[in-house]
Amino acid sequence: MRATRTFGHAPGPAPASELFKAHQYLRSIDLLHVILTTGSVYFAFIAWLFRGRRTDRSFRWLGWQLGAAVLVESIGAVPFLKHLNNNLLYDIYLPIEFLILLLIADLPKRWTAVLAIFGMGIWCCDFFLINGPDYLVVYFTIVAAVVLTGVYLQQLWTLTQTSDAELGRDPNFLFYLSNILYFGAAAPLIASVNYLNQTDRHLAVALWWIIIGFCVIRYVLVGWACLLGPGHKAVR
């Protein structure tokens, strides 16, 4: 890009030292992103492994979701740090996460089936007709976030009406809250980022860091739920 002329003189190219510093800064930001997201996912998965003697069905499903998240974040970090496209990896993972979280919620089978078919229909349209493998399935991600927020709000409401335990020490409460916070924030934020990518790149990046923050909070809460006392269950 041609330099802007100022006071009749075109500025020279930026010194090599400044370009190097800018490059190092961007690499540091990318590395921080990977450390925060991958580290929080590993924390939750390790916490689940420590509670592996639990055998209830929902808790086993949680292990599958966390294991898949660990795999995806570990593999996806390499192309991300090299500034390569890793969207296909997340396009495959996101519907798997959606289905597992529906199963963990332990809804009536009819509702689980309806929501699963609806969600996968949205994913197929988004992946095959709209975005394709080179882009994130944004529309599916937004719809899935709205559905999961509603599902776990209902689960949390039922828990508060039926439980006599201290909610702050109840793993179910922490697990439901983690999903409500993350997916409740993800839907409007991802929609905004998708729009702002075309109009205000800096604001889009700032909003994306907020999403990362909620992702970290989500997995820290899940890990905390897993580490609660042996008398508790991680999820119903």
Side-chain angles (χ1 to χ4, degrees), residues 37-48:
T37 54
T38 307
S40 61
V41 170
Y42 267 89
F43 165 72
F45 185 59
I46 292 171
W48 178 84

Side-chain angles (χ1 to χ4, degrees), residues 5 9 16 24 61 76 90 173 179:
R5 187 172 295 276
H9 299 282
Q24 290 296 102
W61 281 120
Y90 290 91
F173 172 78
N179 288 296

Side-chain angles (χ1 to χ4, degrees), residues 3-14:
T4 303
R5 187 172 295 276
T6 307
F7 299 111
H9 299 282

Side-chain angles (χ1 to χ4, degrees), residues 112-133:
T112 301
V114 168
L115 292 175
I117 293 171
F118 171 71
M120 292 309 298
I122 297 295
W123 181 84
C124 288
C125 291
D126 200 348
F127 185 79
F128 291 108
L129 301 178
I130 302 175
N131 282 311

Side-chain angles (χ1 to χ4, degrees), residues 36-37 40-41 177-190 206-222:
L36 289 174
T37 54
S40 61
V41 170
L177 181 63
S178 70
N179 288 296
I180 292 168
L181 288 175
Y182 175 70
F183 290 110
L189 287 174
I190 291 175
L207 291 179
W208 189 252
W209 274 99
I210 296 175
I211 297 173
I212 294 172
F214 277 105
C215 176
V216 172
I217 292 171
R218 173 194 178 188
Y219 283 109
V220 168
L221 287 174
V222 171

Side-chain angles (χ1 to χ4, degrees), residues 36-183:
L36 289 174
T37 54
T38 307
S40 61
V41 170
Y42 267 89
F43 165 72
F45 185 59
I46 292 171
W48 178 84
L49 289 176
F50 272 111
R51 314 306 296 175
R53 62 180 178 273
R54 296 175 176 148
T55 58
D56 61 291
R57 180 180 63 86
S58 294
F59 192 76
R60 291 197 299 272
W61 281 120
L62 176 60
W64 281 104
Q65 188 268 316
L66 293 175
V70 164
L71 186 64
V72 168
E73 292 297 339
S74 300
I75 297 174
V78 176
F80 176 79
L81 291 174
K82 294 181 178 294
H83 295 164
L84 300 176
N85 191 328
N86 63 359
N87 284 324
L88 179 60
L89 188 64
Y90 290 91
D91 287 347
I92 295 172
Y93 166 73
L94 288 171
I96 295 174
E97 178 190 51
F98 175 72
L99 294 175
I100 291 177
L101 289 177
L102 284 181
L103 290 170
I104 291 175
D106 200 21
L107 298 170
K109 291 183 179 179
R110 180 174 60 182
W111 277 107
T112 301
V114 168
L115 292 175
I117 293 171
F118 171 71
M120 292 309 298
I122 297 295
W123 181 84
C124 288
C125 291
D126 200 348
F127 185 79
F128 291 108
L129 301 178
I130 302 175
N131 282 311
D134 292 331
Y135 298 94
L136 187 67
V137 282
V138 174
Y139 299 108
F140 167 78
T141 304
I142 295 171
V143 171
V146 171
V147 170
L148 290 172
T149 300
V151 166
Y152 280 98
L153 276 171
Q154 184 272 331
Q155 296 286 299
L156 184 62
W157 172 258
T158 302
L159 177 67
T160 59
Q161 299 303 305
T162 58
S163 175
D164 296 326
E166 179 185 351
L167 291 180
R169 294 289 300 169
D170 190 324
N172 297 298
F173 172 78
L174 295 174
F175 180 74
Y176 299 158
L177 181 63
S178 70
N179 288 296
I180 292 168
L181 288 175
Y182 175 70
F183 290 110

